[in-house]
Amino acid sequence: MTLSLVISCSSKKETFIDYTNPQIEYSGRIDSSKIKGAELYWSGTSIKLNFEGESISALIEDEKGDNYYNIIIDNGNPFILRPDTIKRYHKLASKLTREKHTVEIFKRTEWDQGKSSFYGFKLEGNAKVLKKSASKKRKIEFYGNSITAGYAVEDLSGKDSPDSTYTNNYLSYAAITARHFEAKYQCICKSGIGITVSWIPLIMPEMYDRLIPEDPNSKWDFSLYTPDIVVINLLQNDSWLVDIPEHDEFKVRFGTKAPDEEHIISAYQQFVSKIREHYPKANIICALGSMEASKKGSVWIDYIKKAVNRLNDTGIFTHFIEHKESDAHPSIEEQEVIAKSLINFIEKNIDW
């Protein structure tokens, strides 16, 4: 994979657009309560601006220098920005024509790479901020693990490299599905996370309602975003870890005895119930796939079916994506297959 990195710049006739400008469109759970800027954590978080001008730069500072963003100008092919730990301007586009342009900054990487702080844009030459695009009529939200995050999706070797350069939420089935339906997109995900146990100390029922992922006291205001569809794609990591009693997180969650069927079904049912409480009118899709837990005959498919049956809610659906027959995380092509499966399911079953 080739990384196209942008550099800082200086110019004449500059117009600064503060991060609070109402024409900037934000998507995702973004914190602006502690600093004079917008703090970005979650995969798929994005910033958009419509403007006129010869060039545009973004004033950004990254906590660790390990985050990557897709920069999309005028809905063209993305190129990559890697902000560093110094607060500075990064040139996003130059030598633009004198007409309307659009810029989008899309977070590829996960929150464990640290936060990024966005302070605003700088326009140069005949600069003008234009009205943001009309609000999208549809809204979709995802809760998931590494599959949803797009972990290692660009690792063409198939070795699942943990290097954040290979993670790209933009190419995940979740983001692809949102773009297909022209829906506003929000993604709450973390590689390794589960419902009952994770490879990390957090489980989804502890993380799902946070604004800042690692802060248990930072709560998200669910009234700020009300999705029409919620997709839950979890339990893959549970399926592995319940068979590894020597793992530290197994011991923390279960002690010495693996959870029985009732424990798992009840935990899944309780999580879906929490989502329903926040979104009384949303269609909820309880999905699974496309890694090992979704193999034909998997008990994990049965667990989800039983949990959903118990909820007795006509607005809650199940959808199981065919196992992809390999051990690695989904590739770009395999993410597209998952997206196609989910898109077809939504088109056939949900009127939104």
Side-chain angles (χ1 to χ4, degrees), residues 18-143:
D18 190 74
Y19 77 99
T20 58
N21 190 292
Q23 301 311 324
I24 297 177
E25 179 185 351
Y26 293 99
S27 294
R29 297 182 180 180
I30 295 175
D31 183 22
S32 59
S33 63
K34 297 179 181 178
I35 65 166
K36 293 182 178 180
E39 294 189 338
L40 284 61
Y41 302 87
W42 299 96
S43 303
T45 302
S46 70
I47 304 167
K48 294 181 181 179
L49 181 72
N50 296 328
F51 68 97
E52 292 179 0
E54 296 174 8
S55 70
I56 184 168
S57 302
L59 184 58
I60 303 177
E61 179 182 7
D62 195 71
E63 183 178 9
K64 299 179 181 179
D66 291 330
N67 275 305
Y68 293 85
Y69 289 82
N70 281 349
I71 306 301
I72 304 147
I73 305 295
D74 298 337
N75 298 313
N77 292 327
F79 66 91
I80 297 174
L81 165 68
R82 181 185 184 180
D84 54 34
T85 56
I86 300 171
K87 180 180 177 181
R88 65 187 180 99
Y89 284 103
H90 296 269
K91 180 70 70 69
L92 306 181
S94 61
K95 298 181 180 180
L96 297 171
T97 57
R98 293 189 177 184
E99 57 188 2
K100 175 184 174 180
H101 297 285
T102 300
V103 63
E104 179 178 7
I105 302 173
F106 184 101
K107 192 172 190 295
R108 297 162 53 103
T109 40
E110 299 187 58
W111 57 255
D112 61 342
Q113 302 303 322
K115 66 184 178 184
S116 300
S117 300
F118 168 78
Y119 299 95
F121 291 107
K122 180 173 66 177
L123 301 178
E124 301 170 29
N126 300 311
K128 184 179 180 181
V129 175
L130 304 178
K131 284 187 177 182
K132 60 185 175 184
S133 303
S135 297
K136 294 178 178 178
K137 294 181 179 180
R138 293 166 167 169
K139 294 180 181 178
I140 191 167
E141 183 170 73
F142 291 81
Y143 292 86

Side-chain angles (χ1 to χ4, degrees), residues 57 80 85 96-97 153 169 182 187 198 247:
S57 302
I80 297 174
T85 56
L96 297 171
T97 57
V153 67
N169 184 258
E182 297 183 350
C187 187
S198 306
H247 194 280

Side-chain angles (χ1 to χ4, degrees), residues 239-286:
S239 75
W240 283 322
L241 281 160
V242 294
D243 292 327
I244 310 177
E246 65 272 18
H247 194 280
D248 288 342
E249 294 306 320
F250 179 105
K251 297 174 184 177
V252 169
R253 299 294 175 179
F254 312 128
T256 59
K257 185 179 178 181
D260 59 17
E261 176 179 309
E262 178 57 32
H263 178 97
I264 296 167
I265 294 170
S266 178
Y268 191 89
Q269 178 183 345
Q270 289 175 25
F271 178 68
V272 178
S273 294
K274 290 179 180 178
I275 298 299
R276 169 56 80 214
E277 288 175 9
H278 290 296
Y279 306 130
K281 297 181 180 180
N283 296 285
I284 301 173
I285 302 173
C286 295

